[in-house]
């Protein structure tokens, strides 16, 4: 199984970062606007559409407010993954900033590179969006 693991600092408080990640149905507005162009909650799933046309159906596996962690699985979509499990977690840093950790396990291995490219772009948008929101508040 291939794993994509990214950790980045975000110049925003962990509560604000977690609130945006936790807002499951508003990912296209609060977390990655312009990168995810549409999202809708459909029962226990979320269907997301990315700018380049990828559509994924995701379900929450675990949601832990105390640990500021969400785990989800892609259960259908245009990636044709045999297995896709991901988690996002927010850690408080001593200086009031956050550390954002995103881990994705995926099969087949051939999806690791395209997933990593998507994650890297997603993280750029997440940082820009959350840091801009934090600047507006301060």
């Amino acid at each position: 199984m291939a794993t994509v693991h990214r950790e980045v600092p975000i110049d925003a408080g962990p509560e604000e970062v977690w609130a945006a990640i936790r807002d499951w149905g508003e990912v296209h507005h609060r977390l990655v606007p312009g990168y995810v162009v549409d999202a809708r909650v459909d029962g226990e799933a979320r269907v997301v559409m990315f700018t380049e046309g990828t559509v994924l159906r995701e379900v929450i596996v675990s949601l832990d407010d105390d640990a500021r962690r969400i785990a989800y699985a892609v259960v259908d979509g245009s990636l044709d993954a045999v297995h896709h499990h991901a988690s996002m977690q927010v850690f408080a840093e001593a200086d009031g900033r956050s550390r954002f950790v995103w881990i994705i396990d995926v099969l087949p291995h051939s999806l690791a590179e395209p997933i990593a490219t998507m994650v890297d772009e997603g993280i750029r948008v997440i940082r820009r969006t959350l840091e801009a929101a934090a600047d507006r508040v301060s």
Side-chain angles (χ1 to χ4, degrees), residues 7-12 93 95 97-100 123 127 131:
E7 294 190 29
V8 296
I10 297 179
D11 289 328
E93 296 288 300
D95 57 4
R97 296 171 38 177
S98 300
R99 183 167 41 96
F100 172 67
I123 284 175
R127 281 182 82 180
E131 290 176 354

Side-chain angles (χ1 to χ4, degrees), residues 39-129:
R40 65 181 165 75
V41 175
D42 181 22
E44 294 192 12
R46 171 178 77 181
V47 179
V48 295
M49 179 185 289
F50 293 81
T51 305
E52 89 289 344
T54 299
V55 177
L56 301 176
R57 183 176 188 81
E58 305 167 333
V59 295
I60 294 175
V61 175
S62 173
L63 181 67
D64 186 334
D65 286 316
D66 292 332
R68 292 196 285 282
R69 180 180 182 272
I70 188 169
Y72 63 94
V74 172
V75 295
D76 195 16
S78 55
L79 282 180
D80 293 325
V82 173
H83 175 86
H84 182 293
H85 179 271
S87 66
M88 295 178 164
Q89 191 163 8
V90 181
F91 296 93
E93 296 288 300
D95 57 4
R97 296 171 38 177
S98 300
R99 183 167 41 96
F100 172 67
V101 179
W102 195 355
I103 302 170
I104 301 97
D105 296 319
V106 65
L107 285 173
H109 297 283
S110 60
L111 287 177
E113 187 174 325
I115 295 279
T117 299
M118 291 176 73
V119 166
D120 290 341
E121 179 59 22
I123 284 175
R124 279 190 285 278
V125 176
I126 288 168
R127 281 182 82 180
R128 182 178 63 233
T129 301

Side-chain angles (χ1 to χ4, degrees), residues 16 19-21 23 26-33 126 129-130:
E16 292 79 19
I21 290 169
D23 199 355
E26 293 297 314
V27 63
H28 58 311
H29 293 133
R30 297 201 54 198
L31 201 59
V32 284
I126 288 168
T129 301
L130 297 177

